[in-house]
Amino acid sequence: MLSKVFFLYFATVVVFTSVMAITRRNAMHGVLFMLLMFFHLAGLYLFLNAEFLAAVQIIIYAGAIMVLFLFVVMLLNLREDVQKSRFIRPWIAGFVISAGVMAVVLKAAKSVKVEISGLWGIKEIKSATHIGAIGQELYTRYLYPFELASLVLLVAIVGAIVVAKKRLK
């Protein structure tokens, strides 16, 4: 019973802080809500007995990536954007497009069948350790998606540098 209460607390805070992070007018407040969300997400990982993921969540996301976000927000000097109108005029078109995308995503999610199968059972994970199992899957079976994710992150970093450099001129 107590674990359900803690799970509900962490899940509720994750959803709340996620909504607050994307709806704040001040980007710095959004980043701080995202930082709070990362810590609570690490708590959810601990409930799943994924201690390594919780540590990685705090070290990489709450540490390194949030520092990067804070530097980008400070470099962009978003004070002008805070004073502008919150919504653009054709917000109804954006809402309709978002609802359409959400409908497609929900329909696709319903078609996904979750099967518990694969190479890694509880015994295999315990014998190889969590880190070994993640590393073996990541660098063998999911090597191309991993490399694609790293390429997307590289493009995002280069884009952030280009955007920040334009503002400094």
Side-chain angles (χ1 to χ4, degrees):
M1 177 66 185
L2 191 60
S3 63
K4 287 183 181 178
V5 170
F6 279 116
F7 176 79
L8 283 175
Y9 165 74
F10 282 112
T12 303
V13 171
V14 165
V15 170
F16 175 75
T17 54
S18 299
V19 170
M20 294 299 282
I22 62 171
T23 58
R24 296 299 89 198
R25 186 176 288 239
N26 189 333
M28 190 66 75
H29 294 161
V31 169
L32 292 176
F33 275 113
M34 194 182 320
L35 179 65
L36 189 62
M37 187 267 303
F38 284 153
F39 279 111
H40 283 81
L41 192 60
L44 282 177
Y45 287 144
L46 288 176
F47 273 108
L48 296 173
N49 293 326
E51 297 86 7
F52 176 71
L53 283 179
V56 167
Q57 178 74 28
I58 290 175
I59 293 169
I60 294 177
Y61 286 98
I65 291 182
M66 290 311 298
V67 169
L68 177 69
F69 280 9
L70 286 174
F71 280 128
V72 168
V73 167
M74 287 189 277
L75 277 176
L76 290 179
N77 193 11
L78 298 173
R79 291 185 183 163
E80 302 160 0
D81 295 336
V82 172
Q83 297 172 353
K84 290 182 181 175
S85 175
R86 190 170 195 162
F87 299 104
I88 57 174
R89 288 186 182 187
W91 68 271
I92 294 175
F95 180 76
V96 169
I97 291 171
S98 299
V101 168
M102 183 62 110
V104 169
V105 168
L106 287 177
K107 188 170 183 169
K110 284 184 179 179
S111 68
V112 173
K113 295 179 181 175
V114 178
E115 296 177 8
I116 301 174
S117 65
L119 303 174
W120 298 98
I122 299 291
K123 291 178 184 175
E124 290 83 11
I125 290 175
K126 283 185 178 179
S127 67
T129 70
H130 289 275
I131 299 169
I134 290 172
Q136 190 167 354
E137 285 293 311
L138 193 61
Y139 294 118
T140 56
R141 193 177 193 184
Y142 297 103
L143 180 64
Y144 293 121
F146 178 74
E147 291 298 326
L148 183 65
S150 65
L151 184 65
V152 168
L153 286 174
L154 178 66
V155 169
I157 290 170
V158 170
I161 290 171
V162 168
V163 168
K165 193 158 180 101
K166 279 185 179 178
R167 297 279 181 154
L168 290 177
K169 287 182 179 178

